[in-house]
Amino acid sequence: TYNENGEVNELIEMSNNCSVAIGSMTQAMKAQKSLSAVSIPSTVIKVDSQRSRGCSYGLTFSCLHSDNVKRVLSSVGIKAK
């Protein structure tokens, strides 16, 4: 959609992303698949690992889905950090 100046409004909505640290790439991919099964789009991301050793991965998703993401991840036994 466009505003009165002809600018695209979706760009503002797209920048409203949340992220959650999961841990391993395998767990992040399992989380992404679980969210996809309930029509919540997400992207696997590499998380800054200054606080922990090794690589850490997570997901980014629309903040509009935050509560549902927490429920879905909890229901499949994935602990979000």
Side-chain angles (χ1 to χ4, degrees):
T1 61
Y2 297 91
N3 64 19
E4 62 275 0
N5 297 326
E7 299 167 338
V8 179
N9 289 334
E10 274 85 22
L11 293 178
I12 295 169
E13 293 171 11
M14 287 173 39
S15 67
N16 191 17
N17 285 334
C18 290
S19 61
V20 61
I22 302 290
S24 71
M25 172 66 91
T26 302
Q27 285 294 94
M29 292 176 68
K30 178 182 175 183
Q32 183 182 38
K33 186 176 180 180
S34 298
L35 294 176
S36 179
V38 294
S39 301
I40 298 175
S42 63
T43 302
V44 175
I45 57 170
K46 185 170 181 188
V47 177
D48 183 17
S49 60
Q50 291 178 347
R51 295 183 197 161
S52 63
R53 290 177 270 154
C55 295
S56 184
Y57 294 87
L59 296 174
T60 185
F61 51 89
S62 170
C63 290
L64 296 173
H65 297 294
S66 291
D67 291 336
N68 290 331
V69 167
K70 291 176 190 175
R71 275 189 227 108
V72 170
L73 296 184
S74 176
S75 73
V76 295
I78 296 175
K79 293 183 180 180
K81 301 170 189 169

